[in-house]
Structure formats: C-alpha cells, structure tokens
Amino acid sequence: MNAHPMHPFLTRAATAAAGVAAAVPADQPLDAPTPCAEFDTRALINHWVLYTSHGLEHRARRVELPEELGSRDFAADADWRPAYAAQLERAVAAWADPAVWEGDVDLGGAPVPAVGIARMLILELLLHGWDVARATGGRIEVDEELALLVGEIVAENAELYRRYAGFAESVALPEDAGAWDRALAASGRDPHWKA
C-alpha cells in the first residue's frame, strides 16, 4: 500500500508541531498574549491541540468530534505535551491509508475534498505551531519544501480565511525574505512578532 503523496508532508508537519509542544516551558503563563490577538496562550494551545490532533484523526475517520473534547482544557493537564504528541501519531496513522484521501469530509453539511482538509490541517499544524512557539519563547522547525507548501496552501485559502477572520491582511516583507517568512506574512502574521 503506497501512501498518498501528501502524507509525508502531514507527517513532517505533525513532527514539527510535537516539537513545539515539547518545548513549551512548564511554567509558561497561560494568560500570556500570542500572535493570534483573539487567543491567549491557554486558548491557543487548546484550539491547536483540539483541531490538529483530535480533529485530524476524526476527519480521517469521518466522525464528529465529541462535545467533551470541544470544551476540554488540554493546557491544564500536566502531561498535555506528550499526550498531544501521542494523539498526533494516531492522527497521522489514520491518514496513512490512501483510501482516506479519497472522497469528501463532511464539515457540518459542507462536503470538502479530503485532500483539501488535510492540506488545511497542515496549515493549522504549522501556522498555529509557529504562534505557540512565538508566544512561549520557542521555535518551529520547518524545512524549505514544507515552507513552500504552506505558502501554496495559504495562497489557495487566504480569501476564505480572511472572510471568516482566520487571517489578517498580509504583512509586507523585504524581497529577500525566505519561504517560511513569506508564508507567515501571507497569512497575516508578522514573522518578527514578539510577546
């Protein structure tokens, strides 16, 4: 069974996200600001963990997220970091079957191609991973190929995300900016943001 060509990218994005989570300090103030103005650190971590690990697995399996997960405070658990990494592994494994990438995923009455869902979740893993890293004094490891893919996915979805306030307006950068900074800026993030 050959994996879908996007699966290795999903795997690398999940690995990068798990690395960010592992580096969040145990004494991180959860009310600290983040690059996402509407989220403090607690809300950002909870959103990120919910949608990029549990949501990623549930989308692959075509089942709804339980309400209990939607209201859970993952950041309050002392072991949320390894729990997130383990859940990411389960989620990535759920996408290993090429058949999962076929057809649509129902998002509450709006069917979306499974490949499109996976691409948007790669975006969530890495962009919110950067948000968490920036807010907590860490960094995210995104290779050039992955950065270029994120830039491509941002360009494909920017209009939709802006319509629903998921992205701010793009940020101006120097012409020699790298692919990752360009992807961040196109999503409305300032690559030089500091808490």
Side-chain angles (χ1 to χ4, degrees):
M1 176 171 72
N2 292 327
H4 188 277
M6 287 298 298
H7 192 259
F9 290 101
L10 182 62
T11 302
R12 280 151 56 193
T15 299
V20 169
V24 173
D27 61 353
Q28 171 65 36
L30 294 178
D31 59 351
T34 74
C36 300
E38 72 276 23
F39 291 145
D40 64 8
T41 303
R42 179 189 302 279
L44 176 60
I45 288 171
N46 286 333
H47 173 86
W48 185 51
V49 169
L50 176 64
Y51 290 104
T52 64
S53 62
H54 297 283
L56 183 63
E57 181 182 11
H58 282 70
R59 300 292 185 232
R61 300 194 189 292
R62 306 318 201 254
V63 293
E64 287 187 31
L65 278 166
E67 278 186 37
E68 136 343 91
L69 281 178
S71 59
R72 186 164 161 195
D73 184 2
F74 298 99
D77 297 336
D79 70 342
W80 76 265
R81 298 158 187 81
Y84 177 54
Q87 179 56 40
L88 280 172
E89 282 188 24
R90 284 190 290 275
V92 169
W95 285 88
D97 181 353
V100 170
W101 296 78
E102 296 172 6
D104 293 336
V105 175
D106 185 3
L107 296 183
V112 178
V115 172
I117 290 290
R119 287 169 68 87
M120 285 191 275
L121 285 164
I122 288 170
L123 209 61
E124 293 282 309
L125 281 160
L126 296 175
L127 292 181
H128 280 322
W130 179 86
D131 294 331
V132 171
R134 273 294 178 180
T136 60
R139 52 177 290 123
I140 187 166
E141 299 296 332
V142 180
D143 63 65
E144 184 78 2
E145 190 180 27
L146 202 48
L148 289 168
L149 175 65
V150 171
E152 180 184 299
I153 301 169
V154 167
E156 287 170 6
N157 295 283
E159 186 179 325
L160 176 68
Y161 273 61
R162 287 196 180 95
R163 190 179 317 148
Y164 294 100
F167 286 170
E169 289 304 314
S170 60
V171 174
L173 288 181
E175 285 185 21
D176 62 350
W180 179 235
D181 281 358
R182 287 198 310 274
L184 291 169
S187 76
R189 288 163 169 81
D190 177 358
H192 306 295
W193 185 93
K194 287 187 176 148

